[in-house]
Amino acid sequence: MFIIVAIVAILIYRLISYLWTLKSSYEYFKLRNIPGPPPRFFFGHYLTLWNTPSYPTQIREWTHQYGSIYGLFEGRRPMYVVSDVDVLQEVFIKQFSSFHSRRTNLLIDILKHKGANLFTAHANEWRRQRHVINPTFTTLKLKSMIPLMNKCIESMIVKIDEISGKEFNIYALYKRLTMDIICHCAFGINTDMQNDVSNIYMKQAMACFATDPEMFLIVKLSNVLPFLNPLLARTMQSGICLVNTLSKHVPSLISPIEAIPIFWFIERVEALIKQRLASGEKRTDLLQLMLDAAAHDDVKNDKTDDSMSRHLHHTEVVMNVFLFMIAGFETTSAVLAYSTYVLATHSDIQTKLRTEINQSWREDDDELNYEIISDMTYMDYFVREVLRMYRISGQNSTRLCDATTTVCNHQIDKGCVILVDVYAVHYSAELWGPDDPNLFIPERHAVKRHPVAFMGFGIGPRNCVGMRFALMELKMCLARLLRTYDILPGEKIEKGMIHQKPSILRPEAIYVQLHRRST
Ligand code: HEM
């Protein structure tokens, strides 16, 4: 009897102290004079964020209400939402050593058991990986990828010729194109995915982006009850194992498509690496660079840049190859889709861009090359304006505070999250005026702006490592299209522009008509 009473007393004590800590954690922003919407007990601001039809729009509404720095709670974890560019410059650039990681979730933590990649790695683990991967995108390496890119773009042009003059969804072709380019240029995989409509790589890549992992029940539970994480992680791992085993041994029950796409991809990548190692073939692609950097011994996360190890674990090679396949596909195709929407609906901008393309890419030039692309200033402004107005990465612009520090007179404690309200920054009249920031005006990029006013590829040492690759791919594709076709809006163009909600923001479809130009 005594034991039962003691257990009940301990449980009641634990519950009361948990509720007390929960309640006092909601005082965090009040004590620091930081405004923000009132939190709900236990959930913080999660309930609103889970139920909103658009996360960025909700964040922007709160920014209008509470200003350029305010506080939210993810469960009980404090999150600063910031659009003050001076604070952002401190966090992302000047005090990067205290904010070098991103916010993660349960799924990312589970994946990290397989090995961290550049996106998810922390601290020196990240610095070492970035040190190894940065040289992949030098001008010389990018130039060597141009013939392959041209080949992939040509395959798309052949497809477009078949439907030229009719209304169609060009976004579907862009997805195939960008996956084809990343597979060819980075990993030497020839999948014929632009012709093969049921290509499994495509299906699995699309499945990876079909839902927002933050919306999974298990991730929600882990966010509001972080102390359950070890249990939830184990449950999730067992579930994944079961699904994978069933899909392998009883495919009639669970087809590979229905199995978890991320793990399908990781298995393919492992097979690809084995095949490359067994063939002894040496190529000049990203996979080779990472394989050459793979160490057989234990890899140390050294502390200084001078002694930084230039090695990756085998698991890191696998996870980074997977990351690049995924990162290089959905982002670039979404930007191409938005670019086409703008061109179809702004004929004056289309004409201006085509004039520049025809002036830089002369009749006597054989193929589009790096120099021709780099010569196009208006093209550069155009792509940046698309990225300013159509921000594609939803909630990824975060930094985790790794060491308590003071930023512009605000003390930010270890464990807090900084979320950038990118829309507020990109649409700020102060940063982007005097022309109305709601209008599409590429020329505004000719004016020098605040160093963090443009965040299309992120900012600071942890910005997008694939930025130069992506810009080259986008510009080459747009140059080739505009030289060959007039782009006209389809009847359903506005209908397709409805934004989808998952982690990468994108339209549903881009309906256009392309007419071959006579010259
Ligand atoms: C138009 C296309 C793209 C856009 C708009 C884009 C945007 C971004 C953004 C906003 C970030 C977060 C940066 C930050 O936290 O400050 C990021 C990170 C990253 N991107 Fe991209 N990206 C694009 C294409 C690519 C491509 C083609 C690749 C690979 C070939 C790539 C690989 C990565 C990686 C690995 C990271 C993590 C970098 C790190 O943490 O060190 N991205 N990207």
PDB file of all heavy atoms in Angstrom, residues 207-235:
ATOM      1  N   ALA A 207       7.009  11.810 -54.420  1.00  0.00           N
ATOM      2  CA  ALA A 207       6.408  11.353 -53.158  1.00  0.00           C
ATOM      3  C   ALA A 207       7.133  11.974 -51.959  1.00  0.00           C
ATOM      4  O   ALA A 207       6.516  12.265 -50.932  1.00  0.00           O
ATOM      5  CB  ALA A 207       6.459   9.828 -53.080  1.00  0.00           C
ATOM      6  N   CYS A 208       8.445  12.197 -52.087  1.00  0.00           N
ATOM      7  CA  CYS A 208       9.208  12.800 -50.977  1.00  0.00           C
ATOM      8  C   CYS A 208       8.664  14.189 -50.644  1.00  0.00           C
ATOM      9  O   CYS A 208       8.743  14.648 -49.517  1.00  0.00           O
ATOM     10  CB  CYS A 208      10.682  12.967 -51.354  1.00  0.00           C
ATOM     11  SG  CYS A 208      11.610  11.452 -51.290  1.00  0.00           S
ATOM     12  N   PHE A 209       8.136  14.896 -51.660  1.00  0.00           N
ATOM     13  CA  PHE A 209       7.674  16.266 -51.424  1.00  0.00           C
ATOM     14  C   PHE A 209       6.158  16.375 -51.295  1.00  0.00           C
ATOM     15  O   PHE A 209       5.628  17.471 -51.177  1.00  0.00           O
ATOM     16  CB  PHE A 209       8.138  17.176 -52.562  1.00  0.00           C
ATOM     17  CG  PHE A 209       9.598  17.477 -52.491  1.00  0.00           C
ATOM     18  CD1 PHE A 209      10.491  16.817 -53.302  1.00  0.00           C
ATOM     19  CD2 PHE A 209      10.089  18.404 -51.582  1.00  0.00           C
ATOM     20  CE1 PHE A 209      11.846  17.081 -53.231  1.00  0.00           C
ATOM     21  CE2 PHE A 209      11.431  18.669 -51.494  1.00  0.00           C
ATOM     22  CZ  PHE A 209      12.317  18.013 -52.324  1.00  0.00           C
ATOM     23  N   ALA A 210       5.479  15.222 -51.362  1.00  0.00           N
ATOM     24  CA  ALA A 210       4.013  15.279 -51.401  1.00  0.00           C
ATOM     25  C   ALA A 210       3.413  15.797 -50.094  1.00  0.00           C
ATOM     26  O   ALA A 210       2.382  16.441 -50.085  1.00  0.00           O
ATOM     27  CB  ALA A 210       3.450  13.915 -51.738  1.00  0.00           C
ATOM     28  N   THR A 211       4.080  15.503 -48.979  1.00  0.00           N
ATOM     29  CA  THR A 211       3.517  15.954 -47.702  1.00  0.00           C
ATOM     30  C   THR A 211       4.584  16.694 -46.899  1.00  0.00           C
ATOM     31  O   THR A 211       5.771  16.465 -47.078  1.00  0.00           O
ATOM     32  CB  THR A 211       3.052  14.760 -46.846  1.00  0.00           C
ATOM     33  OG1 THR A 211       4.022  13.730 -46.999  1.00  0.00           O
ATOM     34  CG2 THR A 211       1.691  14.271 -47.219  1.00  0.00           C
ATOM     35  N   ASP A 212       4.110  17.540 -46.017  1.00  0.00           N
ATOM     36  CA  ASP A 212       5.018  18.287 -45.156  1.00  0.00           C
ATOM     37  C   ASP A 212       5.279  17.442 -43.908  1.00  0.00           C
ATOM     38  O   ASP A 212       4.356  17.155 -43.156  1.00  0.00           O
ATOM     39  CB  ASP A 212       4.332  19.610 -44.783  1.00  0.00           C
ATOM     40  CG  ASP A 212       5.232  20.479 -43.921  1.00  0.00           C
ATOM     41  OD1 ASP A 212       6.302  19.989 -43.516  1.00  0.00           O
ATOM     42  OD2 ASP A 212       4.851  21.630 -43.671  1.00  0.00           O
ATOM     43  N   PRO A 213       6.554  17.022 -43.671  1.00  0.00           N
ATOM     44  CA  PRO A 213       6.833  16.156 -42.519  1.00  0.00           C
ATOM     45  C   PRO A 213       6.384  16.776 -41.197  1.00  0.00           C
ATOM     46  O   PRO A 213       6.028  16.062 -40.264  1.00  0.00           O
ATOM     47  CB  PRO A 213       8.361  16.007 -42.540  1.00  0.00           C
ATOM     48  CG  PRO A 213       8.836  16.582 -43.807  1.00  0.00           C
ATOM     49  CD  PRO A 213       7.724  17.333 -44.465  1.00  0.00           C
ATOM     50  N   GLU A 214       6.336  18.107 -41.131  1.00  0.00           N
ATOM     51  CA  GLU A 214       5.902  18.765 -39.879  1.00  0.00           C
ATOM     52  C   GLU A 214       4.450  18.409 -39.540  1.00  0.00           C
ATOM     53  O   GLU A 214       4.001  18.590 -38.428  1.00  0.00           O
ATOM     54  CB  GLU A 214       6.017  20.289 -39.998  1.00  0.00           C
ATOM     55  CG  GLU A 214       7.446  20.823 -40.058  1.00  0.00           C
ATOM     56  CD  GLU A 214       8.169  20.773 -38.716  1.00  0.00           C
ATOM     57  OE1 GLU A 214       7.494  20.826 -37.677  1.00  0.00           O
ATOM     58  OE2 GLU A 214       9.413  20.660 -38.719  1.00  0.00           O
ATOM     59  N   MET A 215       3.710  17.914 -40.548  1.00  0.00           N
ATOM     60  CA  MET A 215       2.294  17.600 -40.333  1.00  0.00           C
ATOM     61  C   MET A 215       2.074  16.150 -39.913  1.00  0.00           C
ATOM     62  O   MET A 215       0.956  15.756 -39.628  1.00  0.00           O
ATOM     63  CB  MET A 215       1.497  17.888 -41.626  1.00  0.00           C
ATOM     64  CG  MET A 215       1.356  19.349 -41.919  1.00  0.00           C
ATOM     65  SD  MET A 215       0.433  20.154 -40.601  1.00  0.00           S
ATOM     66  CE  MET A 215       1.428  21.584 -40.335  1.00  0.00           C
ATOM     67  N   PHE A 216       3.141  15.322 -39.903  1.00  0.00           N
ATOM     68  CA  PHE A 216       2.967  13.941 -39.450  1.00  0.00           C
ATOM     69  C   PHE A 216       2.616  13.943 -37.961  1.00  0.00           C
ATOM     70  O   PHE A 216       3.249  14.672 -37.181  1.00  0.00           O
ATOM     71  CB  PHE A 216       4.255  13.132 -39.644  1.00  0.00           C
ATOM     72  CG  PHE A 216       4.614  12.874 -41.082  1.00  0.00           C
ATOM     73  CD1 PHE A 216       5.869  12.396 -41.419  1.00  0.00           C
ATOM     74  CD2 PHE A 216       3.714  13.107 -42.102  1.00  0.00           C
ATOM     75  CE1 PHE A 216       6.220  12.163 -42.746  1.00  0.00           C
ATOM     76  CE2 PHE A 216       4.040  12.877 -43.433  1.00  0.00           C
ATOM     77  CZ  PHE A 216       5.295  12.406 -43.751  1.00  0.00           C
ATOM     78  N   LEU A 217       1.660  13.099 -37.601  1.00  0.00           N
ATOM     79  CA  LEU A 217       1.215  13.059 -36.207  1.00  0.00           C
ATOM     80  C   LEU A 217       2.395  12.829 -35.263  1.00  0.00           C
ATOM     81  O   LEU A 217       2.532  13.479 -34.222  1.00  0.00           O
ATOM     82  CB  LEU A 217       0.157  11.965 -36.037  1.00  0.00           C
ATOM     83  CG  LEU A 217      -0.362  11.826 -34.616  1.00  0.00           C
ATOM     84  CD1 LEU A 217      -1.115  13.075 -34.181  1.00  0.00           C
ATOM     85  CD2 LEU A 217      -1.255  10.604 -34.476  1.00  0.00           C
ATOM     86  N   ILE A 218       3.284  11.915 -35.657  1.00  0.00           N
ATOM     87  CA  ILE A 218       4.389  11.556 -34.772  1.00  0.00           C
ATOM     88  C   ILE A 218       5.356  12.738 -34.574  1.00  0.00           C
ATOM     89  O   ILE A 218       5.894  12.956 -33.485  1.00  0.00           O
ATOM     90  CB  ILE A 218       5.106  10.282 -35.303  1.00  0.00           C
ATOM     91  CG1 ILE A 218       5.902   9.621 -34.202  1.00  0.00           C
ATOM     92  CG2 ILE A 218       5.946  10.537 -36.509  1.00  0.00           C
ATOM     93  CD1 ILE A 218       6.073   8.133 -34.368  1.00  0.00           C
ATOM     94  N   VAL A 219       5.507  13.554 -35.624  1.00  0.00           N
ATOM     95  CA  VAL A 219       6.375  14.737 -35.512  1.00  0.00           C
ATOM     96  C   VAL A 219       5.692  15.776 -34.617  1.00  0.00           C
ATOM     97  O   VAL A 219       6.322  16.406 -33.764  1.00  0.00           O
ATOM     98  CB  VAL A 219       6.697  15.334 -36.911  1.00  0.00           C
ATOM     99  CG1 VAL A 219       7.476  16.632 -36.802  1.00  0.00           C
ATOM    100  CG2 VAL A 219       7.473  14.328 -37.740  1.00  0.00           C
ATOM    101  N   LYS A 220       4.370  15.916 -34.791  1.00  0.00           N
ATOM    102  CA  LYS A 220       3.631  16.863 -33.944  1.00  0.00           C
ATOM    103  C   LYS A 220       3.763  16.471 -32.479  1.00  0.00           C
ATOM    104  O   LYS A 220       4.039  17.297 -31.608  1.00  0.00           O
ATOM    105  CB  LYS A 220       2.150  16.864 -34.328  1.00  0.00           C
ATOM    106  CG  LYS A 220       1.851  17.550 -35.648  1.00  0.00           C
ATOM    107  CD  LYS A 220       0.359  17.477 -35.916  1.00  0.00           C
ATOM    108  CE  LYS A 220      -0.037  18.269 -37.144  1.00  0.00           C
ATOM    109  NZ  LYS A 220      -1.451  18.189 -37.429  1.00  0.00           N
ATOM    110  N   LEU A 221       3.585  15.149 -32.210  1.00  0.00           N
ATOM    111  CA  LEU A 221       3.687  14.661 -30.826  1.00  0.00           C
ATOM    112  C   LEU A 221       5.058  14.959 -30.258  1.00  0.00           C
ATOM    113  O   LEU A 221       5.198  15.423 -29.128  1.00  0.00           O
ATOM    114  CB  LEU A 221       3.473  13.145 -30.811  1.00  0.00           C
ATOM    115  CG  LEU A 221       2.075  12.650 -30.547  1.00  0.00           C
ATOM    116  CD1 LEU A 221       2.060  11.132 -30.608  1.00  0.00           C
ATOM    117  CD2 LEU A 221       1.590  13.117 -29.177  1.00  0.00           C
ATOM    118  N   SER A 222       6.087  14.703 -31.072  1.00  0.00           N
ATOM    119  CA  SER A 222       7.447  14.905 -30.582  1.00  0.00           C
ATOM    120  C   SER A 222       7.715  16.381 -30.314  1.00  0.00           C
ATOM    121  O   SER A 222       8.469  16.742 -29.428  1.00  0.00           O
ATOM    122  CB  SER A 222       8.449  14.330 -31.584  1.00  0.00           C
ATOM    123  OG  SER A 222       9.225  15.314 -32.155  1.00  0.00           O
ATOM    124  N   ASN A 223       7.064  17.268 -31.094  1.00  0.00           N
ATOM    125  CA  ASN A 223       7.285  18.698 -30.885  1.00  0.00           C
ATOM    126  C   ASN A 223       6.645  19.200 -29.597  1.00  0.00           C
ATOM    127  O   ASN A 223       7.219  20.035 -28.902  1.00  0.00           O
ATOM    128  CB  ASN A 223       6.734  19.497 -32.077  1.00  0.00           C
ATOM    129  CG  ASN A 223       7.625  19.356 -33.300  1.00  0.00           C
ATOM    130  OD1 ASN A 223       8.779  18.948 -33.194  1.00  0.00           O
ATOM    131  ND2 ASN A 223       7.108  19.669 -34.463  1.00  0.00           N
ATOM    132  N   VAL A 224       5.451  18.680 -29.287  1.00  0.00           N
ATOM    133  CA  VAL A 224       4.806  19.185 -28.069  1.00  0.00           C
ATOM    134  C   VAL A 224       5.233  18.405 -26.820  1.00  0.00           C
ATOM    135  O   VAL A 224       5.166  18.927 -25.710  1.00  0.00           O
ATOM    136  CB  VAL A 224       3.257  19.213 -28.161  1.00  0.00           C
ATOM    137  CG1 VAL A 224       2.787  20.356 -29.009  1.00  0.00           C
ATOM    138  CG2 VAL A 224       2.684  17.914 -28.627  1.00  0.00           C
ATOM    139  N   LEU A 225       5.684  17.164 -27.016  1.00  0.00           N
ATOM    140  CA  LEU A 225       6.132  16.370 -25.856  1.00  0.00           C
ATOM    141  C   LEU A 225       7.561  15.870 -26.110  1.00  0.00           C
ATOM    142  O   LEU A 225       7.793  14.675 -26.308  1.00  0.00           O
ATOM    143  CB  LEU A 225       5.189  15.170 -25.654  1.00  0.00           C
ATOM    144  CG  LEU A 225       3.721  15.494 -25.371  1.00  0.00           C
ATOM    145  CD1 LEU A 225       2.866  14.249 -25.478  1.00  0.00           C
ATOM    146  CD2 LEU A 225       3.564  16.117 -23.987  1.00  0.00           C
ATOM    147  N   PRO A 226       8.539  16.789 -26.116  1.00  0.00           N
ATOM    148  CA  PRO A 226       9.896  16.397 -26.524  1.00  0.00           C
ATOM    149  C   PRO A 226      10.493  15.285 -25.666  1.00  0.00           C
ATOM    150  O   PRO A 226      11.324  14.520 -26.160  1.00  0.00           O
ATOM    151  CB  PRO A 226      10.710  17.692 -26.395  1.00  0.00           C
ATOM    152  CG  PRO A 226       9.832  18.685 -25.734  1.00  0.00           C
ATOM    153  CD  PRO A 226       8.428  18.212 -25.793  1.00  0.00           C
ATOM    154  N   PHE A 227      10.029  15.151 -24.405  1.00  0.00           N
ATOM    155  CA  PHE A 227      10.598  14.094 -23.559  1.00  0.00           C
ATOM    156  C   PHE A 227      10.204  12.697 -24.044  1.00  0.00           C
ATOM    157  O   PHE A 227      10.780  11.703 -23.627  1.00  0.00           O
ATOM    158  CB  PHE A 227      10.223  14.300 -22.075  1.00  0.00           C
ATOM    159  CG  PHE A 227       8.738  14.377 -21.844  1.00  0.00           C
ATOM    160  CD1 PHE A 227       7.986  13.222 -21.675  1.00  0.00           C
ATOM    161  CD2 PHE A 227       8.094  15.594 -21.806  1.00  0.00           C
ATOM    162  CE1 PHE A 227       6.622  13.285 -21.473  1.00  0.00           C
ATOM    163  CE2 PHE A 227       6.729  15.679 -21.603  1.00  0.00           C
ATOM    164  CZ  PHE A 227       5.989  14.525 -21.435  1.00  0.00           C
ATOM    165  N   LEU A 228       9.207  12.632 -24.945  1.00  0.00           N
ATOM    166  CA  LEU A 228       8.818  11.316 -25.493  1.00  0.00           C
ATOM    167  C   LEU A 228       9.683  10.902 -26.683  1.00  0.00           C
ATOM    168  O   LEU A 228       9.512   9.825 -27.244  1.00  0.00           O
ATOM    169  CB  LEU A 228       7.360  11.354 -25.968  1.00  0.00           C
ATOM    170  CG  LEU A 228       6.265  11.336 -24.918  1.00  0.00           C
ATOM    171  CD1 LEU A 228       4.899  11.266 -25.603  1.00  0.00           C
ATOM    172  CD2 LEU A 228       6.415  10.121 -24.000  1.00  0.00           C
ATOM    173  N   ASN A 229      10.600  11.783 -27.081  1.00  0.00           N
ATOM    174  CA  ASN A 229      11.349  11.540 -28.321  1.00  0.00           C
ATOM    175  C   ASN A 229      12.026  10.178 -28.431  1.00  0.00           C
ATOM    176  O   ASN A 229      11.921   9.526 -29.462  1.00  0.00           O
ATOM    177  CB  ASN A 229      12.358  12.660 -28.579  1.00  0.00           C
ATOM    178  CG  ASN A 229      11.688  13.802 -29.306  1.00  0.00           C
ATOM    179  OD1 ASN A 229      10.495  13.719 -29.588  1.00  0.00           O
ATOM    180  ND2 ASN A 229      12.413  14.855 -29.588  1.00  0.00           N
ATOM    181  N   PRO A 230      12.740   9.725 -27.385  1.00  0.00           N
ATOM    182  CA  PRO A 230      13.380   8.407 -27.522  1.00  0.00           C
ATOM    183  C   PRO A 230      12.362   7.308 -27.843  1.00  0.00           C
ATOM    184  O   PRO A 230      12.598   6.476 -28.714  1.00  0.00           O
ATOM    185  CB  PRO A 230      14.022   8.178 -26.149  1.00  0.00           C
ATOM    186  CG  PRO A 230      14.152   9.546 -25.548  1.00  0.00           C
ATOM    187  CD  PRO A 230      13.045  10.370 -26.118  1.00  0.00           C
ATOM    188  N   LEU A 231      11.198   7.359 -27.164  1.00  0.00           N
ATOM    189  CA  LEU A 231      10.174   6.343 -27.389  1.00  0.00           C
ATOM    190  C   LEU A 231       9.594   6.465 -28.810  1.00  0.00           C
ATOM    191  O   LEU A 231       9.458   5.475 -29.536  1.00  0.00           O
ATOM    192  CB  LEU A 231       9.056   6.520 -26.345  1.00  0.00           C
ATOM    193  CG  LEU A 231       7.875   5.585 -26.494  1.00  0.00           C
ATOM    194  CD1 LEU A 231       8.285   4.161 -26.092  1.00  0.00           C
ATOM    195  CD2 LEU A 231       6.696   6.044 -25.631  1.00  0.00           C
ATOM    196  N   LEU A 232       9.282   7.714 -29.203  1.00  0.00           N
ATOM    197  CA  LEU A 232       8.697   7.928 -30.537  1.00  0.00           C
ATOM    198  C   LEU A 232       9.689   7.520 -31.621  1.00  0.00           C
ATOM    199  O   LEU A 232       9.317   6.917 -32.631  1.00  0.00           O
ATOM    200  CB  LEU A 232       8.322   9.404 -30.716  1.00  0.00           C
ATOM    201  CG  LEU A 232       7.179   9.900 -29.828  1.00  0.00           C
ATOM    202  CD1 LEU A 232       6.994  11.405 -29.976  1.00  0.00           C
ATOM    203  CD2 LEU A 232       5.877   9.199 -30.194  1.00  0.00           C
ATOM    204  N   ALA A 233      10.962   7.836 -31.401  1.00  0.00           N
ATOM    205  CA  ALA A 233      11.988   7.502 -32.402  1.00  0.00           C
ATOM    206  C   ALA A 233      12.058   5.996 -32.571  1.00  0.00           C
ATOM    207  O   ALA A 233      12.114   5.484 -33.695  1.00  0.00           O
ATOM    208  CB  ALA A 233      13.332   8.071 -31.997  1.00  0.00           C
ATOM    209  N   ARG A 234      12.041   5.274 -31.432  1.00  0.00           N
ATOM    210  CA  ARG A 234      12.124   3.807 -31.519  1.00  0.00           C
ATOM    211  C   ARG A 234      10.888   3.235 -32.232  1.00  0.00           C
ATOM    212  O   ARG A 234      10.983   2.372 -33.082  1.00  0.00           O
ATOM    213  CB  ARG A 234      12.260   3.195 -30.127  1.00  0.00           C
ATOM    214  CG  ARG A 234      13.666   2.533 -30.020  1.00  0.00           C
ATOM    215  CD  ARG A 234      13.935   2.052 -28.652  1.00  0.00           C
ATOM    216  NE  ARG A 234      13.981   3.218 -27.790  1.00  0.00           N
ATOM    217  CZ  ARG A 234      13.823   3.255 -26.489  1.00  0.00           C
ATOM    218  NH1 ARG A 234      13.620   2.227 -25.852  1.00  0.00           N
ATOM    219  NH2 ARG A 234      13.893   4.336 -25.775  1.00  0.00           N
ATOM    220  N   THR A 235       9.694   3.802 -31.905  1.00  0.00           N
ATOM    221  CA  THR A 235       8.464   3.322 -32.547  1.00  0.00           C
ATOM    222  C   THR A 235       8.539   3.556 -34.053  1.00  0.00           C
ATOM    223  O   THR A 235       8.213   2.682 -34.869  1.00  0.00           O
ATOM    224  CB  THR A 235       7.236   4.106 -32.002  1.00  0.00           C
ATOM    225  OG1 THR A 235       7.345   4.136 -30.595  1.00  0.00           O
ATOM    226  CG2 THR A 235       5.935   3.506 -32.425  1.00  0.00           C
TER     227      THR A 235
END
